[in-house]
Amino acid sequence: MIYYAHPGHLLVDHLYSVAEIARGFCSDFRSGEWGYLAGLWHDLGKFQVQFQRRLAGERIAVEHSGVGAALAARRRLTPIAFLIAGHHAGLANSVETLPGGPKPLKERVAENQALLDSLLSSIPQEVLDMKAPEGPAFLKELRISDRATGDDAKRRLEFWVRFMFSGLADADYLDTEAFLEPGKAKVRGGYQSLPLLWPLLEAELARKADGLSAADRALPINQARSAVAEACRAAAESPTGLFSLTAPTGAGKTLAAMLFALKHATHNGQRRVIVVLPYTSIIEQNANVYRAVFGWENLIEHHSNYDPPPTEDTTRYQLATENWEAPIIVTTTVQFFESLFANRPSRCRKLHNIVKSVVVLDEVQTLPPGVLLAVLDALNELVTSYGCSVLLSTATPPALAARPGLPQGLSNVREIIPDAGSLARRLKRVSYHWPISETTWVALAGRICSHPRALAVVHRRADARLLATLVRELRAEDPVFHLSALMCPAHRSAVLAEVREVLASDHPCRLVSTQLIEAGVDIDFPVLYRALAGLDSIVQAAGRCNREGSVAEGHVYVFRAPSLPPQGVLRRGFEVMNTMLAADAALDPSDPALCHDYFREFYFANSLDEHGIQPARAQLNFATVAKEFRIIEDECTKSVIVPYRDAQGRIDNVRRFVTREGIRSLQPYSVRIYPPSFAQLLQAGALDEICDGLFAIALPFAHLYDETLGLLLDTELTPNPASLVV
């Protein structure tokens, strides 16, 4: 009998092709033969008459991915059993059942033993006779059942299985695509290599330097930027490893970090640069800087809010987001780390392309403490076993190095700037004024209005709305801007563009924002008011004050707000800072040593493995790890599409024809709200379900979205009478 993997696609051809592709992917981390065997066995269940009948059009359900897993388990190749069993449903737990997750591996293997026996005569003997490969040097002594290896070794094994899973999942997808959709396969690839991109950045830096006058070159800020870039050039010739770039805001870290990454990758034969940032606002800003140097065709900006312009080759872009095959990837902390701990094939496909990369973690101080142990473990492992280098870039260095109080910390981190404290003092552009007593919103509004230009950063969205309203009432004749997460990303981007335009003129400008403005947003005010918070929040906010040194000295006024930060991480940061101020009322946040002290106390005050991810990893519970590992705890919020600018046209397109691209195009117009608010909107009839599970503000309630304040959740939920007239 002739067996097929897909209509017209010979099964044996598919198995050997996937095996070869997976071997190539897994060879990058010394596991090529494991990838080959997983590819060769992954679809053995298709040697069933029932599966062939299904391909012929019969509507029957057929189990096929458990057969190869049963064979691997019988040969005591449990890692391969995990890969094959999960190549459609996702990596499962070893034994424990997870509600809503794939069946545990032990159960899948047991269910498929009899089916395997019935198919042995149909499977080519040379496929069955494949011998077990040797494990890579860093794992070959490990055995899942050997308790003497310890939990650390089991977590290394867990990480390795997920990377092999990536190689198999991507190989299976690419071979199937090449046969069924050859047009797509032809679009892939064709990127420039990093050694060709590095000179482009050097040329851009030289052009910028040549454009400066002698007086501009003598400015401390430009001398510091030159020194930071030169330090990055020198450090780039080091062997692979962990590096730290600590420099104040405005010191040119964005291009200097990329300079290090490109030169370092070229020096060490690494394949790509992955820039990881915490917020989409920073990604959009940095990606535009990089795109101006390298061209859009060599850079993939991968996050939910990115909507490629229609002039781009969107098919090629979309394909590259699936497996990160481009030379430069700019993505979010959420996308990067949640992929590292994912279990679904679609999310894991990219992992093998992280191997032999330079990973730039920008604003590294924003890593959430609740998953910090798993994150640090992953970073150490990427460097130790997968040929990566990691650059930690920040103005407020967190205490992540291994030490007695954090034995799981990062090992052998090399500092690029030899004396970060001296650099911080040279570039100090603001003075800090610490709070004595609590203020009122009315009094604070008056103080803000006493300055022609001022930025205020508060704890909560309601605080921002109230304070912006008070400031506007006092200075109705001047521009007053507002930013919060109740505004969709497209709206926030438009406001920031308008603020920059006003700042470039001689007009007054006042902006009230939540902390979303703090990290990496390129904006410059001479005066900042910041509600007392964690040290990193205060310093990051201060990076928006006198950013370009346009005044002799910027002023940062820290105030005690009438409200407290939200419970959780933000509240604990506030409490640590409160304690430090009680001991020393004249702290100097520009001193990196103070940041280390703060973060040591901050991590001590938080659980660093809040959801038990590390024990779950040691038990090879892949599904549980994927469910529990979250960089942002947003499961308790609901996404709503708001009627901002051209959102309605995009909504109408999705109503007519639901596509992945159409749904993605709505992301820049989404706002996340809490369940009680969502329920109120739903009950009032203010929400329309565009497609399954995707809701938008109904047209009669479009007035709930304000062009200044965003989504108004505390107003009367009544439709606009005019919209009801036919």
Side-chain angles (χ1 to χ4, degrees):
M1 182 173 178
I2 299 175
Y3 295 93
Y4 294 92
H6 312 98
H9 192 188
L10 289 174
L11 178 54
V12 170
D13 288 351
H14 177 60
L15 295 181
Y16 277 102
S17 180
V18 171
E20 287 292 349
I21 298 170
R23 171 191 271 159
F25 290 158
C26 295
S27 292
D28 290 327
F29 50 98
R30 297 161 288 170
S31 305
E33 297 313 306
W34 287 82
Y36 184 88
L37 188 55
L40 197 61
W41 288 358
H42 82 287
D43 270 354
L44 294 185
K46 292 184 178 180
F47 283 102
Q48 292 181 70
V49 173
Q50 291 91 333
F51 187 86
Q52 300 305 306
R53 287 166 46 200
R54 182 175 183 272
L55 286 182
E58 290 192 35
R59 295 185 177 182
I60 53 176
V62 183
E63 157 73 271
H64 80 271
S65 57
V67 174
L71 177 61
R74 189 176 291 183
R75 300 280 182 87
R76 299 183 181 276
L77 296 171
T78 308
I80 290 183
F82 269 113
L83 311 187
I84 296 174
H87 80 273
H88 287 299
L91 290 169
N93 285 349
S94 181
V95 176
E96 296 178 12
T97 299
L98 179 70
K103 286 183 182 179
L105 180 65
K106 184 177 180 180
E107 188 176 337
R108 288 287 303 286
V109 166
E111 288 177 349
N112 281 274
Q113 290 296 345
L115 180 57
L116 169 63
D117 288 333
S118 71
L119 298 181
L120 289 177
S121 61
S122 301
I123 301 171
Q125 195 61 43
E126 65 270 19
V127 172
L128 292 172
D129 287 345
M130 288 294 298
K131 297 187 182 300
E134 288 191 16
F138 64 94
L139 283 171
K140 65 181 180 180
E141 301 301 326
L142 299 182
R143 298 291 183 271
I144 294 175
S145 60
D146 183 2
R147 295 183 180 181
T149 59
D151 285 354
D152 287 344
K154 291 177 183 177
R155 282 190 287 269
R156 296 190 75 190
L157 177 61
E158 183 256 8
F159 208 64
W160 177 61
V161 168
R162 197 178 282 104
F163 269 74
M164 285 201 299
F165 181 63
S166 169
L168 174 63
D170 200 28
D172 186 28
Y173 190 97
L174 291 176
D175 184 67
T176 302
E177 177 187 84
F179 186 84
L180 299 179
E181 300 179 276
K184 276 189 178 181
K186 290 178 181 178
V187 174
R188 292 185 180 274
Y191 299 99
Q192 289 185 302
S193 64
L194 295 185
L196 295 177
L197 297 178
W198 168 32
L200 298 179
L201 180 54
E202 288 284 18
E204 174 65 13
L205 291 172
R207 185 191 66 77
K208 285 179 175 288
D210 291 343
L212 294 175
S213 65
D216 285 339
R217 287 195 190 95
L219 291 174
I221 185 65
N222 289 322
Q223 289 183 340
R225 287 171 179 168
S226 178
V228 169
E230 195 53 45
C232 285
R233 283 191 188 91
E237 297 185 0
S238 305
T240 60
L242 283 154
F243 299 84
S244 177
L245 175 59
T246 301
T249 299
K253 291 193 297 296
T254 298
L255 289 178
M258 179 59 75
L259 176 62
F260 166 86
L262 289 174
K263 185 176 181 182
H264 184 73
T266 301
H267 179 75
N268 290 290
Q270 293 162 302
R271 302 178 306 178
R272 63 182 40 81
V273 172
I274 304 173
V275 181
V276 183
L277 299 130
Y279 309 119
T280 54
S281 58
I282 315 176
I283 292 180
E284 292 162 356
Q285 177 179 291
N286 288 14
N288 286 335
V289 172
Y290 298 141
R291 197 175 281 116
V293 178
F294 306 115
W296 69 265
E297 66 275 9
N298 291 306
L299 181 147
I300 295 300
E301 184 179 345
H302 189 191
H303 58 90
S304 60
N305 291 337
Y306 184 59
D307 189 17
T311 55
E312 290 190 9
D313 186 339
T314 52
T315 300
R316 186 172 184 262
Y317 162 82
Q318 184 60 52
L319 292 175
T321 63
E322 294 172 354
N323 65 355
W324 284 6
E325 59 187 358
I328 299 176
I329 307 293
V330 184
T331 191
T332 60
T333 309
V334 171
Q335 181 70 240
F336 183 78
F337 285 107
E338 290 188 6
S339 295
L340 282 176
F341 294 99
N343 73 322
R344 303 292 299 182
S346 58
R347 199 76 185 266
C348 289
R349 279 182 61 192
K350 63 178 76 73
L351 297 187
H352 71 89
N353 276 329
I354 295 176
V355 177
K356 295 184 178 178
S357 294
V358 180
V359 180
V360 179
L361 290 182
D362 205 354
E363 307 294 355
V364 69
Q365 78 286 344
T366 61
L367 290 173
V371 294
L372 192 63
L373 294 189
V375 165
L376 296 178
D377 204 355
L379 295 178
N380 275 325
E381 192 66 4
L382 285 175
V383 171
T384 302
S385 305
Y386 296 88
C388 291
S389 291
V390 175
L391 175 63
L392 313 173
S393 178
T394 181
T396 53
L400 298 180
R403 59 181 187 277
L406 188 66
Q408 310 93 334
L410 301 177
S411 303
N412 303 315
V413 180
R414 285 168 269 182
E415 294 286 347
I416 289 180
I417 305 297
D419 188 353
S422 174
L423 179 65
R425 288 188 292 273
R426 284 165 48 202
L427 289 184
K428 186 174 180 180
R429 301 187 298 279
V430 302
S431 60
Y432 289 86
H433 308 270
W434 294 105
I436 299 174
S437 59
E438 185 180 300
T439 188
T440 66
W441 294 122
V442 172
L444 182 61
R447 294 184 64 185
I448 292 169
C449 289
S450 69
H451 307 282
R453 296 183 169 196
L455 165 65
V457 181
V458 296
H459 297 311
R460 300 173 181 269
R461 297 181 296 191
D463 297 345
R465 179 181 173 184
L466 173 60
L467 184 57
T469 302
L470 291 171
V471 172
R472 188 172 292 110
E473 289 173 353
L474 290 173
R475 302 294 297 189
E477 70 277 13
D478 295 335
V480 178
F481 299 95
H482 163 273
L483 284 174
S484 87
L486 285 176
M487 300 159 64
C488 66
H491 191 177
R492 299 199 299 261
S493 295
V495 169
L496 283 170
E498 191 175 354
V499 169
R500 292 186 183 104
E501 186 177 339
V502 174
L503 289 174
S505 69
D506 295 328
H507 297 297
C509 185
R510 299 175 183 90
L511 169 62
V512 179
S513 175
T514 58
Q515 66 175 24
L516 61 83
I517 200 172
E518 286 179 351
V521 177
D522 187 6
I523 204 163
D524 188 1
F525 281 85
V527 174
L528 166 73
Y529 284 86
R530 190 11 168 142
L532 180 61
L535 180 65
D536 55 326
S537 296
I538 293 171
V539 175
Q540 289 298 323
R544 309 321 113 199
C545 180
N546 201 21
R547 185 179 179 88
E548 297 298 327
S550 52
V551 295
E553 185 178 41
H555 292 277
V556 175
Y557 297 95
V558 182
F559 62 93
R560 294 186 184 276
S563 64
L564 292 172
Q567 289 283 356
V569 171
L570 294 176
R571 180 73 62 85
R572 288 190 285 272
F574 166 85
E575 291 166 349
V576 170
M577 196 60 197
N578 219 12
T579 301
M580 294 179 72
L581 277 173
D584 183 358
L587 296 174
D588 180 10
S590 63
D591 183 1
L594 180 64
C595 292
H596 283 284
D597 293 342
Y598 166 79
F599 277 105
R600 279 195 289 268
E601 295 297 324
F602 177 68
Y603 293 146
F604 181 77
N606 285 274
S607 169
L608 304 187
D609 190 16
E610 191 172 355
H611 303 291
I613 292 164
Q614 292 294 76
R617 292 181 61 212
Q619 295 162 11
L620 301 181
N621 285 337
F622 293 95
T624 297
V625 170
K627 178 179 180 293
E628 296 297 337
F629 187 95
R630 289 289 179 270
I631 289 290
I632 299 175
E633 299 286 354
D634 62 357
E635 290 185 349
C636 60
T637 62
K638 302 280 189 179
S639 183
V640 173
I641 309 303
V642 296
Y644 178 73
R645 293 193 177 174
D646 65 338
Q648 191 58 50
R650 300 183 183 214
I651 291 171
D652 293 340
N653 288 336
V654 172
R655 285 187 196 278
R656 285 191 293 268
F657 187 55
V658 178
T659 64
R660 179 180 176 183
E661 291 75 17
I663 292 174
R664 279 182 60 89
S665 75
L666 292 174
Q667 288 295 329
Y669 302 90
S670 65
V671 170
R672 299 200 72 91
I673 60 177
Y674 290 102
S677 298
F678 184 88
Q680 289 174 353
L681 291 171
L682 197 62
Q683 186 176 8
L687 294 178
D688 277 344
E689 191 168 15
I690 306 170
C691 58
D692 188 24
L694 182 61
F695 291 85
I697 298 295
L699 280 176
F701 293 84
H703 60 280
L704 294 180
Y705 195 81
D706 184 83
E707 284 288 319
T708 301
L709 300 173
L711 188 59
L712 307 177
L713 295 175
D714 55 355
T715 58
E716 187 176 355
L717 299 180
T718 55
N720 180 359
S723 68
L724 302 178
V725 177
V726 178

